[in-house]
Amino acid sequence: MHATILFAHGSRDPLWKIPMENVASRMLGLDPSTQVRCAFLELTQPDLATATAELVSTGATSITIVPMFLGVGKHAREDMPLLVNDLRDTHPEIVFRLKLSVGEEPQVIELLAQMAMPSP
Protein backbone atom coordinates (compact mmCIF):
# COMPACT_ATOMS: atom_id res chain seq x y z
CA MET A 1 0.00 0.00 0.00
CA HIS A 2 1.22 3.46 -0.89
CA ALA A 3 0.80 6.45 1.44
CA THR A 4 1.56 10.17 1.39
CA ILE A 5 2.75 12.49 4.13
CA LEU A 6 2.22 16.23 3.72
CA PHE A 7 5.17 17.64 5.68
CA ALA A 8 5.04 21.25 6.87
CA HIS A 9 6.86 23.47 9.34
CA GLY A 10 4.36 23.82 12.19
CA SER A 11 3.30 26.68 14.45
CA ARG A 12 2.15 27.40 17.98
CA ASP A 13 -1.11 28.66 16.45
CA PRO A 14 -3.46 25.65 16.15
CA LEU A 15 -5.26 27.27 13.20
CA TRP A 16 -2.02 27.30 11.19
CA LYS A 17 -2.35 23.65 10.18
CA ILE A 18 -5.83 24.03 8.64
CA PRO A 19 -4.51 24.56 5.07
CA MET A 20 -2.48 21.33 5.32
CA GLU A 21 -5.52 19.46 6.58
CA ASN A 22 -7.54 20.95 3.71
CA VAL A 23 -5.04 19.57 1.19
CA ALA A 24 -5.27 16.14 2.83
CA SER A 25 -9.08 16.33 2.78
CA ARG A 26 -9.06 17.30 -0.89
CA MET A 27 -6.79 14.33 -1.67
CA LEU A 28 -9.32 12.08 0.06
CA GLY A 29 -12.09 13.73 -1.94
CA LEU A 30 -10.26 12.92 -5.16
CA ASP A 31 -9.62 9.32 -4.07
CA PRO A 32 -11.23 8.04 -0.84
CA SER A 33 -8.78 5.12 -0.72
CA THR A 34 -5.81 7.49 -0.45
CA GLN A 35 -3.70 7.05 2.65
CA VAL A 36 -2.56 10.55 3.64
CA ARG A 37 -1.32 12.13 6.84
CA CYS A 38 -0.04 15.55 7.80
CA ALA A 39 3.23 15.83 9.75
CA PHE A 40 5.13 18.80 11.10
CA LEU A 41 8.76 19.71 11.71
CA GLU A 42 8.18 21.49 15.01
CA LEU A 43 5.61 23.08 17.30
CA THR A 44 2.71 21.00 15.92
CA GLN A 45 1.90 17.31 16.19
CA PRO A 46 2.28 14.76 14.80
CA ASP A 47 5.93 14.84 13.84
CA LEU A 48 7.27 12.99 10.81
CA ALA A 49 8.32 9.88 12.75
CA THR A 50 4.89 9.56 14.41
CA ALA A 51 2.96 9.98 11.14
CA THR A 52 5.25 7.43 9.48
CA ALA A 53 4.82 4.90 12.28
CA GLU A 54 1.04 5.26 12.03
CA LEU A 55 1.07 4.64 8.28
CA VAL A 56 3.42 1.67 8.66
CA SER A 57 1.08 0.19 11.29
CA THR A 58 -1.80 0.42 8.80
CA GLY A 59 0.16 -1.51 6.17
CA ALA A 60 2.00 1.13 4.14
CA THR A 61 4.90 -0.31 2.17
CA SER A 62 5.90 2.91 0.41
CA ILE A 63 5.56 6.50 1.55
CA THR A 64 5.91 9.69 -0.47
CA ILE A 65 6.82 12.74 1.58
CA VAL A 66 5.62 16.04 0.10
CA PRO A 67 7.38 19.05 1.65
CA MET A 68 4.76 21.76 1.89
CA PHE A 69 7.35 24.56 1.84
CA LEU A 70 7.14 27.48 -0.59
CA GLY A 71 10.66 28.61 0.19
CA VAL A 72 13.55 26.18 0.13
CA GLY A 73 15.57 27.16 3.19
CA LYS A 74 17.65 25.27 5.71
CA HIS A 75 14.75 23.04 6.78
CA ALA A 76 14.11 21.82 3.24
CA ARG A 77 17.76 21.62 2.17
CA GLU A 78 19.38 20.21 5.30
CA ASP A 79 16.93 19.05 7.99
CA MET A 80 14.47 17.18 5.80
CA PRO A 81 16.97 14.81 4.11
CA LEU A 82 18.38 13.91 7.54
CA LEU A 83 14.89 13.15 8.87
CA VAL A 84 14.10 10.98 5.85
CA ASN A 85 17.41 9.11 6.27
CA ASP A 86 16.45 8.44 9.90
CA LEU A 87 13.11 7.06 8.70
CA ARG A 88 14.91 4.78 6.24
CA ASP A 89 17.11 3.49 9.05
CA THR A 90 14.11 2.95 11.35
CA HIS A 91 11.91 1.37 8.64
CA PRO A 92 14.25 -0.35 6.14
CA GLU A 93 11.31 -2.35 4.74
CA ILE A 94 9.55 0.83 3.57
CA VAL A 95 10.33 2.62 0.30
CA PHE A 96 10.50 6.36 0.92
CA ARG A 97 10.27 8.98 -1.81
CA LEU A 98 11.02 12.61 -0.99
CA LYS A 99 9.45 14.99 -3.50
CA LEU A 100 10.59 18.52 -4.25
CA SER A 101 9.24 21.23 -1.98
CA VAL A 102 5.96 22.50 -3.41
CA GLY A 103 7.56 25.90 -4.01
CA GLU A 104 9.87 24.25 -6.55
CA GLU A 105 7.08 22.60 -8.52
CA PRO A 106 6.36 24.33 -11.86
CA GLN A 107 2.59 23.85 -11.46
CA VAL A 108 2.61 25.64 -8.09
CA ILE A 109 4.75 28.48 -9.44
CA GLU A 110 2.37 28.88 -12.39
CA LEU A 111 -0.73 28.87 -10.18
CA LEU A 112 0.75 31.41 -7.75
CA ALA A 113 1.77 33.67 -10.63
CA GLN A 114 -1.77 33.51 -12.05
CA MET A 115 -3.27 34.24 -8.65
CA ALA A 116 -0.97 37.22 -8.14
CA MET A 117 -1.83 38.83 -11.47
CA PRO A 118 -4.04 41.91 -11.19
CA SER A 119 -7.69 41.38 -11.96
CA PRO A 120 -8.86 42.81 -15.29
Side-chain angles (χ1 to χ4, degrees), residues 7 12 19 51-52 85 116 118:
F7 185 56
R12 286 181 181 85
T52 299
N85 284 338

CSV table of all heavy atoms in Angstrom, one decimal, residues 7 12 19 51-52 85 116 118:
chain,number,residue,atom,x,y,z
A,7,PHE,N,4.2,17.2,4.6
A,7,PHE,CA,5.2,17.6,5.7
A,7,PHE,C,5.4,19.2,5.7
A,7,PHE,O,5.8,19.7,4.7
A,7,PHE,CB,6.5,16.9,5.5
A,7,PHE,CG,7.5,17.2,6.6
A,7,PHE,CD1,7.2,16.9,7.9
A,7,PHE,CD2,8.8,17.7,6.3
A,7,PHE,CE1,8.1,17.1,8.9
A,7,PHE,CE2,9.7,17.9,7.2
A,7,PHE,CZ,9.4,17.6,8.6
A,12,ARG,N,2.8,27.4,16.7
A,12,ARG,CA,2.2,27.4,18.0
A,12,ARG,C,0.6,27.7,17.8
A,12,ARG,O,-0.1,27.3,18.6
A,12,ARG,CB,2.8,28.4,18.9
A,12,ARG,CG,4.1,28.0,19.5
A,12,ARG,CD,4.7,29.1,20.4
A,12,ARG,NE,6.0,28.7,20.9
A,12,ARG,CZ,7.1,28.9,20.3
A,12,ARG,NH1,7.1,29.6,19.1
A,12,ARG,NH2,8.2,28.5,20.8
A,19,PRO,N,-4.7,24.7,6.5
A,19,PRO,CA,-4.5,24.6,5.1
A,19,PRO,C,-3.9,23.2,4.7
A,19,PRO,O,-4.3,22.6,3.7
A,19,PRO,CB,-3.5,25.7,4.7
A,19,PRO,CG,-3.8,26.7,5.7
A,19,PRO,CD,-4.1,26.0,7.0
A,51,ALA,N,3.8,10.2,12.3
A,51,ALA,CA,3.0,10.0,11.1
A,51,ALA,C,3.4,8.8,10.3
A,51,ALA,O,2.6,8.0,9.9
A,51,ALA,CB,2.9,11.2,10.3
A,52,THR,N,4.7,8.6,10.2
A,52,THR,CA,5.2,7.4,9.5
A,52,THR,C,4.9,6.2,10.2
A,52,THR,O,4.4,5.2,9.6
A,52,THR,CB,6.8,7.6,9.3
A,52,THR,OG1,7.1,8.7,8.5
A,52,THR,CG2,7.4,6.3,8.6
A,85,ASN,N,16.4,10.2,6.1
A,85,ASN,CA,17.4,9.1,6.3
A,85,ASN,C,17.2,8.4,7.6
A,85,ASN,O,17.3,7.1,7.6
A,85,ASN,CB,18.8,9.7,6.2
A,85,ASN,CG,19.3,10.0,4.8
A,85,ASN,OD1,18.7,9.4,3.8
A,85,ASN,ND2,20.2,10.9,4.7
A,116,ALA,N,-1.5,35.9,-8.5
A,116,ALA,CA,-1.0,37.2,-8.1
A,116,ALA,C,-1.2,38.3,-9.2
A,116,ALA,O,-1.0,39.5,-8.9
A,116,ALA,CB,0.5,37.1,-7.9
A,118,PRO,N,-2.9,41.0,-11.5
A,118,PRO,CA,-4.0,41.9,-11.2
A,118,PRO,C,-5.3,41.5,-11.9
A,118,PRO,O,-5.2,41.0,-13.1
A,118,PRO,CB,-3.5,43.3,-11.7
A,118,PRO,CG,-2.3,43.0,-12.4
A,118,PRO,CD,-1.8,41.6,-12.2
